[in-house]
Amino acid sequence: MVTLMLSGCGSLAGRHNIDSGFTYIENHDFNNALNSFAVAEEKGEDMCLIHRGKGIVYLRTGEYQMAVDELLASLAADEGIVDDMDFDTNYYLAEAYSALGEYTKAKEVYDAIIGLRSNDQNAYYLRGVAELGADNHDGAYSDFSKAISLNARNYSLTILIYQALADHGYEDEAKGILQTAMDNGSSFMSNYEKGQIAFYLGNNAEAQSFLEAARNERDQEKEPVVLLLGQTGEKQGDYNYAISVYKTFLNEVPSSAKVYNQLGMCQIRQGDYNGAVSSFEAGLAADDKEMNQALKLNEITAYEYMGEFSMAQSLMTSYLEEYPDDEAALRENIFLSTR
């Protein structure tokens, strides 16, 4: 029953191994996270938090049914006061249901969240995504409209709504939502926000103009601006422009794994495979836990394009030791082993 999904985790005492497990999750070290939670269970630490941690690990490693089971067990393990962590656990549960294609169950979780937090903008957006998954366009549109009405100036969320609708074939309607946001908000939007919306509307020259202005603003966070500005070049096949944007930024901020990754992908498209390898290795040196997997895989791809199959094979062997659940990489490894 949905009403049972919202319950509280108990005591925070005696949770050394649990804390270690969540630290491992932050570092994307999921095997050690599971080991820590196993030790926590042996030591009699809080089962509510142990199940929650294991559920997050399984969600992140694609074991969605196991994630559901653990997250439900977490919510059932304690009857404490409902707090932010319990809402967070329910968000993970709904994400796992959606990943399994069980959109009705995901929607029921969001219903429960909204029942207690009637102004939760994110819950309305995510329930809309679940409605789209269940082919209920009208329900989705209603939820998206409600989400926007709760904070029309949350343009990041408006763009997510655009992407969800566009991904399900409602491109014209999605662009209409963006255009309305631009029309209603142009007087108080930042240049970056205007650039984002212009980019997704397909107004590339206009997007470049706004993003170039944003890149020169002192208080604007530069990395997301640079990534989108480079993509305006990539969309038009102007990789020289994109590479120039990325390299200019990296001269100032030589620790951006995301920008190194994007630079390397542009260099691959230009046939500069040595340059791409150098970019991916520089990105890996930044040790961004969220980017390391993509950088390692892209580096392998660059070596394949170079015809350096033995090097690609060696790197793939190391990669699969670290990411054994990557089925696409497993298939690629079979290909490499035949070269």
Side-chain angles (χ1 to χ4, degrees):
M1 258 180 83
V2 178
T3 51
L4 297 179
M5 290 179 179
L6 288 156
S7 58
C9 276
S11 168
L12 300 183
R15 43 179 282 182
H16 168 73
N17 295 290
I18 288 171
D19 289 342
S20 295
F22 280 103
T23 299
Y24 283 126
I25 288 174
E26 287 176 21
N27 292 326
H28 295 241
D29 186 348
F30 299 120
N31 287 331
N32 276 322
L34 287 176
N35 291 337
S36 290
F37 294 130
V39 174
E41 193 165 353
E42 289 172 17
K43 301 287 187 184
E45 296 181 26
D46 190 326
M47 286 306 301
C48 175
L49 293 170
I50 291 167
H51 286 306
R52 169 183 157 82
K54 289 166 72 176
I56 294 169
V57 169
Y58 290 134
L59 182 61
R60 295 293 167 252
T61 55
E63 301 282 357
Y64 300 122
Q65 186 57 57
M66 292 171 73
V68 165
D69 294 343
E70 291 293 342
L71 293 165
L72 285 173
S74 174
L75 292 163
D78 209 330
E79 294 291 333
I81 297 170
V82 176
D83 59 15
D84 287 344
M85 183 182 291
D86 303 300
F87 283 98
D88 199 45
T89 300
N90 275 276
Y91 272 116
Y92 285 124
L93 176 62
E95 184 182 342
Y97 277 135
S98 291
L100 287 168
E102 296 187 19
Y103 298 111
T104 300
K105 288 183 178 178
K107 181 181 171 297
E108 287 174 358
V109 178
Y110 295 127
D111 289 344
I113 293 171
I114 290 166
L116 292 177
R117 289 183 170 177
S118 60
N119 291 325
D120 191 323
Q121 185 183 35
N122 202 39
Y124 281 107
Y125 155 66
L126 289 168
R127 189 172 71 177
V129 173
E131 296 276 23
L132 278 181
D135 292 326
N136 180 8
H137 165 270
D138 292 350
Y141 193 84
S142 173
D143 277 339
F144 292 152
S145 298
K146 176 67 175 178
I148 291 169
S149 75
L150 287 168
N151 182 4
R153 296 191 188 185
N154 184 350
Y155 300 114
S156 296
L157 191 79
T158 301
I159 288 167
L160 288 173
I161 288 169
Y162 156 79
Q163 290 171 324
L165 285 166
D167 287 346
H168 283 81
Y170 303 109
E171 179 80 30
D172 291 343
E173 185 175 69
K175 284 190 171 182
I177 287 172
L178 288 186
Q179 191 63 58
T180 299
M182 184 72 104
D183 294 343
N184 292 343
S186 59
S187 60
F188 43 72
M189 278 181 181
S190 69
N191 281 313
Y192 174 52
E193 288 166 342
K194 289 177 183 177
Q196 281 182 293
I197 290 181
F199 176 84
Y200 289 108
L201 282 171
N203 303 332
N204 231 40
E206 188 181 11
Q208 272 186 358
S209 177
F210 286 128
L211 294 168
E212 287 282 10
R215 182 165 64 154
N216 295 316
E217 292 169 355
R218 183 185 304 172
D219 296 332
Q220 172 65 51
E221 185 187 352
K222 298 297 191 295
E223 185 185 73
V225 174
V226 164
L227 286 166
L228 200 59
L229 184 57
Q231 285 178 66
T232 64
E234 290 182 47
K235 269 174 77 173
Q236 299 173 96
D238 189 351
Y239 296 112
N240 287 330
Y241 172 79
I243 285 170
S244 172
V245 168
Y246 299 142
K247 284 187 172 179
T248 299
F249 175 76
L250 289 166
N251 285 335
E252 300 170 15
V253 186
S255 58
S256 172
K258 288 181 180 176
V259 177
Y260 274 120
N261 187 57
Q262 208 63 31
L263 172 60
M265 296 305 290
C266 283
Q267 289 166 320
I268 282 179
R269 292 187 184 101
Q270 284 203 318
D272 179 11
Y273 305 126
N274 285 313
V277 166
S278 296
S279 295
F280 296 137
E281 287 181 349
L284 286 165
D287 196 26
D288 181 334
K289 305 298 184 188
E290 290 188 7
M291 289 302 300
N292 283 345
Q293 183 174 3
L295 285 159
K296 288 177 181 180
L297 204 53
N298 290 336
E299 184 183 14
I300 292 166
T301 300
Y303 276 115
E304 286 185 46
Y305 279 122
M306 290 165 71
E308 298 275 357
F309 295 111
S310 59
M311 184 64 173
Q313 173 77 65
S314 173
L315 289 172
M316 180 64 86
T317 300
S318 300
Y319 174 89
L320 287 171
E321 287 173 6
E322 199 168 350
Y323 308 103
D325 297 322
D326 187 335
E327 292 183 6
L330 286 166
R331 290 192 294 273
E332 184 67 16
N333 190 45
I334 294 169
F335 163 76
L336 283 170
S337 66
T338 65
R339 304 297 296 195

